[in-house]
Amino acid sequence: MSESSADRARMLVRPTLATQFRIDFEWWERADRDWAVLLRSHLCPEHQASLGELGADALVDHVDPETAEVSRVPGLQHTLMTHCALQPDYINPQGSLVDLVFRVFMANGNAPLSCQELGQQLGRPAETILRTLTGPRVYRGPSRSLPRQVCTLGRLGRGGIVTWVTG
């Protein structure tokens, strides 16, 4: 199957309630977006004050707790995932669904979750989450190219933050 045929076939695959999603930080880099603005908006008050001016290009070492693999990650992302997202009031049920889903992924280290799992954690219908993640509304702009085996969906809609694995 040619690359373009594979891309077309992938576009025909529809995610289900059991499809696993995750945040696609690489999309922001490929799309040349300042995703640091989004990350800053989800920092806890303590880190909003202390890291408010930290640039998106500031990298820190991150050690995966399961594999002990060391990787360089943006400092804002690291702080958000290792401190802010672990605060007891980080996931506020009164927040928008888009922000709540983002925060769940931050709190779980961006481990893939299905809409069923997200629904259980958020107390929201899985069907509503799926419609939001796969709906036609583009919140942060369309993705120009799709990586192999990953369909980029969007800031919970097509085009950016959330991806699902197709194979």
Side-chain angles (χ1 to χ4, degrees), residues 101-119:
V101 169
F102 182 85
R103 286 177 174 237
V104 165
F105 284 119
M106 289 291 89
N108 82 355
N110 202 26
L113 293 172
S114 70
C115 291
Q116 293 165 328
E117 293 165 320
L118 286 165

Side-chain angles (χ1 to χ4, degrees), residues 4 15-16 25 46 60-61 75 80 87 95-96 113 122 149 156:
S4 62
T16 67
F25 287 111
E46 171 190 344
V60 298
D61 289 335
L80 185 60
Q87 301 307 303
S96 72
L113 293 172
L122 297 173
Q149 304 213 353
L156 312 189

Side-chain angles (χ1 to χ4, degrees), residues 99-162:
D99 286 340
L100 288 172
V101 169
F102 182 85
R103 286 177 174 237
V104 165
F105 284 119
M106 289 291 89
N108 82 355
N110 202 26
L113 293 172
S114 70
C115 291
Q116 293 165 328
E117 293 165 320
L118 286 165
Q120 289 170 350
Q121 289 190 32
L122 297 173
R124 304 268 182 108
E127 295 81 5
T128 301
I129 296 170
L130 180 63
R131 280 193 307 274
T132 303
L133 295 178
T134 61
R137 181 165 182 190
V138 177
Y139 292 89
R140 299 278 183 166
S143 176
R144 299 284 182 248
S145 62
L146 299 175
R148 289 186 62 104
Q149 304 213 353
V150 174
C151 180
T152 303
L153 294 176
R155 189 195 172 205
L156 312 189
R158 282 183 240 257
I161 281 186
V162 176

Side-chain angles (χ1 to χ4, degrees), residues 3-85:
E3 187 68 31
S4 62
S5 297
D7 286 342
R8 271 184 259 141
R10 192 167 30 259
M11 294 304 291
L12 296 176
V13 175
R14 300 271 315 157
T16 67
L17 294 174
T19 301
Q20 302 248 306
F21 292 83
R22 68 172 177 82
I23 296 172
D24 185 7
F25 287 111
E26 293 82 24
W27 177 85
W28 288 94
E29 292 177 45
R30 286 191 314 271
D32 195 27
R33 300 246 179 217
D34 186 11
W35 55 268
V37 172
L38 174 70
L39 293 180
R40 273 190 209 96
S41 73
H42 289 278
L43 290 172
C44 63
E46 171 190 344
H47 283 104
Q48 283 184 358
S50 65
L51 299 177
E53 299 302 315
L54 185 66
D57 54 350
L59 299 176
V60 298
D61 289 335
H62 170 74
V63 180
D64 185 298
E66 292 184 23
T67 65
E69 178 183 0
V70 177
S71 58
R72 301 282 291 162
V73 299
L76 288 173
Q77 178 183 342
H78 185 265
T79 300
L80 185 60
M81 293 175 78
T82 60
H83 178 267
C84 304

